[in-house]
Amino acid sequence: MGAVAIGAAHQPRLEEPAQNRSLERGINILRCFRPGTDLMGNGELAERTGLSKATVSRLTQTLVGSGMLEYDARERAYRLAAPVLSLAHAMRSGSPVLQVAAPLMRALAEKLRINVGLAVADRDEMVYLESVRYHRKVSLRNVTTGQRVPIELTSLGRAYLAALDEEKRDALLGKMKARRGKEWPRLATEIAAAVKSVERHGFCAAAWQPEVVAVATPIATPLHPIYVLNVSVSTTTPLDEVVPTLKGPLLQLAHELQARISSL
């Protein structure tokens, strides 16, 4: 017993990682930049992060110096710099999961003429790692790699919630409840039904954008984050009539991806 206790005492405490506050704040600054908010000054960044203007000023200067932000002197504001894009490219090209998943996703999209996506969670949003769009025309919902969608509204997010343990799920739901206000009772009912659908049938469906039906399923493996696979179509057909044609191909592809990801 003594030897075990001594050995355990010298093991790193991975469950309580030491975090660098300055680095964390700098990352939060970078997180503020989204499509439609590509240029922001220190005041807006302070409002979005909850940090003081003095702290934000120091952080933005550091991020400019490190090449992560560019400063627009005319607008007195900042935008993301090119190295951020290179990091994203390095992530995509170096991901063994995407190397396995992308060809299979493209094959399914072309075979059935549907859209296929793979996403992971980032805080209270889902981020598309890969999005194969069969329809090339511009539509109301033009999803691209790297795009974020809300967890509480989408089949992707609701399938992710179903894969979480109860404690983590409740923590996320609490944040969404505070943000959604009067909308929450309806959303909570829809989320509960989606979680139950994943538990019983392996998938859930949603139509949160006009004329788009999406079906999603989580892919959980021991050594990887929870991935969520979805398929969708642009249609005016009611959701209940579309889901039966999508669920089979979705679950079959998810089963194959789970086996392959588990071996990585």
Side-chain angles (χ1 to χ4, degrees):
M1 289 292 290
V4 172
I6 292 172
H10 285 80
Q11 294 298 314
R13 300 181 66 184
L14 298 179
E15 72 279 11
E16 296 180 6
Q19 292 186 332
N20 184 295
R21 292 290 292 167
S22 294
L23 177 59
E24 183 179 16
R25 290 171 174 174
I27 291 172
N28 285 337
I29 294 289
L30 297 176
R31 284 178 181 273
C32 292
F33 292 88
R34 306 287 182 90
T37 55
D38 56 316
L39 193 65
M40 287 185 283
N42 285 334
E44 186 174 359
L45 290 168
E47 182 179 349
R48 288 173 177 265
T49 59
L51 300 172
S52 70
K53 288 185 179 180
T55 298
V56 168
S57 179
R58 290 194 298 271
L59 290 169
T60 50
Q61 288 179 40
T62 300
L63 289 167
V64 169
S66 64
M68 294 294 107
L69 291 182
E70 291 180 358
Y71 181 64
D72 188 318
R74 179 180 297 177
E75 299 293 337
R76 301 180 67 181
Y78 303 88
R79 60 170 56 89
L80 293 177
V84 177
L85 180 60
S86 71
L87 292 176
H89 177 67
M91 179 269 159
R92 281 178 49 77
S93 63
S95 169
V97 170
L98 288 181
Q99 290 171 13
V100 165
L104 297 176
M105 293 169 62
R106 283 194 292 270
L108 181 63
E110 292 171 1
K111 178 182 178 181
L112 300 184
R113 301 182 179 183
I114 60 177
N115 310 312
V116 185
L118 186 70
V120 293
D122 179 30
R123 297 186 174 182
D124 57 354
E125 296 176 307
M126 300 300 293
V127 179
Y128 274 94
L129 298 175
E130 186 67 84
S131 177
V132 183
R133 315 301 295 173
Y134 178 77
H135 296 290
R136 302 300 182 186
K137 65 180 181 179
V138 177
S139 64
L140 291 175
R141 186 166 180 255
N142 186 21
V143 176
T144 59
T145 299
Q147 184 168 332
R148 295 171 176 269
V149 295
I151 283 180
E152 65 269 31
L153 298 181
T154 59
S155 63
L156 280 171
R158 294 171 181 180
Y160 171 72
L161 289 171
L164 292 178
D165 61 52
E166 190 172 352
E167 182 179 356
K168 292 180 180 178
R169 185 191 305 159
D170 287 346
L172 265 179
L173 292 176
K175 294 179 181 179
M176 296 168 189
K177 179 179 180 180
R179 182 174 67 244
R180 289 293 177 175
K182 293 181 180 180
E183 291 182 274
W184 183 245
R186 173 182 61 83
L187 289 175
T189 299
E190 293 178 1
I191 291 170
V195 169
K196 189 171 294 185
S197 178
V198 172
E199 292 172 348
R200 292 180 176 178
H201 309 296
F203 69 91
C204 64
W208 75 289
Q209 291 280 20
E211 300 183 5
V212 176
V213 174
V215 185
T217 186
I219 300 175
T221 57
L223 301 179
H224 299 273
I226 297 171
Y227 294 95
V228 183
L229 180 72
N230 81 337
V231 296
S232 65
V233 292
S234 300
T235 180
T236 57
T237 305
L239 183 147
D240 291 345
E241 296 180 25
V242 177
V243 170
T245 65
L246 296 179
K247 66 180 183 180
L250 170 75
L251 294 177
Q252 183 176 356
L253 177 56
H255 179 74
E256 185 171 358
L257 286 180
Q258 184 164 29
R260 295 199 181 194
I261 292 172
S262 296
S263 65
L264 296 176

